[in-house]
């Protein structure tokens, strides 16, 4: 039985006062832990605040991207070691917004995943197709290419990763994949992974992301191959995020 994980992706939202309120509410409700794991991925400048407020609780934290380089002349970039300095456990890699807005290729995402693992972080590898790709019938081809770029770099990285399937057409749109649509792609990902490492495929946590809300979380998390969620908009509202964590705890 795989443990469920619910990770919040705050994206470029937040502010010191608002973060404190949100994190305090989370700590009060789930700070002692439960039967599902819970984490928040916050903007870089708020890592220190997040560490201060979540330290010693059962809620983990992380960042939303990282550099593939260890250090050097890379203005504006943040390394894995810098993230672990602030107690991060997780880091998102290859979120569709990074891929589409900042031109991150499958190969760049694979390099970031390795940098994260080498730095002691757990990368959350995001995969997903656009609406055009889904309607063109090439969802599996796109997901396979995204996944294969990472497996080509070696299974050591993936062995320490979590995967998040996030159909681009469901992110921030209010349009969720049906539980069956999500399950089909999750099963595809697990089967493809099994081709390289059957044991890893069995234990891999595969999260679903894309307009997850308290209303649809339980049904999504009830599917065989869905091991939790990556939550955008709803992770900014304490009550909603907590309800989703409760749904994951079953
Ligand atoms: P959403 O975002 O929950 O707001 O759709 C999910 C994500 O982008 O990770």
């Amino acid at each position: 039985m795989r443990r469920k994980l619910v990770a919040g992706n705050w994206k470029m939202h937040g502010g010191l006062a608002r973060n404190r309120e949100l994190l305090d509410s989370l700590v009060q409700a789930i700070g002692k832990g439960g039967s599902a794991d819970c984490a928040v991925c916050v903007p870089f400048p708020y890592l220190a605040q997040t560490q201060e407020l979540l330290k010693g609780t059962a809620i983990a934290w992380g960042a939303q991207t990282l550099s593939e380089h260890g250090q050097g002349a890379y203005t504006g970039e943040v390394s894995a070691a810098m993230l672990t300095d602030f107690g991060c456990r997780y880091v998102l890699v290859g979120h569709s917004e990074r891929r589409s807005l900042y031109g991150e290729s499958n190969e760049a995402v694979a390099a970031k995943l390795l940098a994260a693992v080498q730095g002691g972080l757990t990368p959350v590898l995001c995969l997903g197709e656009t609406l055009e790709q889904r309607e063109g019938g090439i969802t599996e081809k796109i997901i396979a290419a995204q996944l294969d770029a990472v497996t080509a770099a070696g299974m050591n990285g993936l062995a320490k990763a979590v995967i998040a399937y996030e159909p681009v057409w469901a992110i921030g749109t209010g349009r969720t994949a049906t539980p069956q649509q999500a399950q089909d792609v999750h099963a595809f990902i697990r089967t493809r992974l099994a081709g390289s490492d059957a044991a890893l495929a069995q234990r891999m946590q595969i999260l679903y992301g894309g307009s997850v809300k308290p209303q649809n979380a339980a049904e999504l998390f009830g599917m065989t191959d869905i091991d939790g969620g990556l939550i955008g908009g709803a992770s900014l509202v304490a009550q909603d995020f907590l309800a989703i964590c409760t749904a994951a705890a079953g």
Side-chain angles (χ1 to χ4, degrees), residues 7 9 11 92 95-97 126 166 170-174 209-213 230-235:
N9 171 13
K11 308 195 181 187
L92 308 183
H95 188 279
S96 66
E97 286 150 18
C126 303
E166 298 204 304
I171 294 178
T173 58
S211 298
V212 178
K213 300 178 202 65
L230 181 56
I231 320 299
S235 73

Side-chain angles (χ1 to χ4, degrees), residues 199-244:
L200 173 62
Q202 261 323 301
R203 68 166 194 271
M204 177 64 74
Q205 284 177 311
I206 308 179
L207 316 182
Y208 169 78
S211 298
V212 178
K213 300 178 202 65
Q215 297 83 336
N216 58 25
E219 208 189 342
L220 284 160
F221 298 164
M223 305 305 283
T224 318
D225 288 296
I226 301 186
D227 307 312
L230 181 56
I231 320 299
S235 73
L236 299 170
V237 181
Q239 223 181 353
D240 289 356
F241 190 62
L242 287 168
I244 294 168

Side-chain angles (χ1 to χ4, degrees), residues 2 84 107 147 214:
R2 291 176 297 269
T84 52
E107 290 66 34
L147 187 60

